[in-house]
Amino acid sequence: MNDKNIALPEVILNALALYLKDEAIKFYQSDEGKKYYEECQKEKLVKDVNDTDDKASV
């Protein structure tokens, strides 16, 4: 069986997306989620500052 060719009905995909959206909102509103988000922002800032592939300078 080729796992790349699995097709799910759109109604199932929509239900999964709505469930995951609600779970993501709950997570990011929690203390753990807020801490995780802050750490991600710090990492992103470091990556942005150290980005040497700046296309604006071309």
Side-chain angles (χ1 to χ4, degrees), residues 39-51:
E39 291 299 317
C40 287
Q41 290 299 101
K42 288 178 189 174
E43 288 179 22
K44 182 182 182 316
L45 179 62
V46 170
K47 287 179 185 175
D48 287 347
V49 169
N50 294 323
D51 186 9

Side-chain angles (χ1 to χ4, degrees), residues 6-55:
I6 294 175
L8 294 174
E10 187 173 342
V11 67
I12 291 176
L13 293 175
N14 288 340
L16 178 61
L18 289 173
Y19 170 78
L20 292 175
K21 178 194 76 148
D22 290 340
E23 290 299 306
I25 290 170
K26 287 182 209 173
F27 174 73
Y28 283 107
Q29 289 177 341
S30 72
D31 290 339
E32 180 185 3
K34 289 175 184 176
K35 183 178 177 183
Y36 176 79
Y37 180 75
E38 287 175 15
E39 291 299 317
C40 287
Q41 290 299 101
K42 288 178 189 174
E43 288 179 22
K44 182 182 182 316
L45 179 62
V46 170
K47 287 179 185 175
D48 287 347
V49 169
N50 294 323
D51 186 9
T52 58
D53 188 27
D54 187 5
K55 295 193 177 20

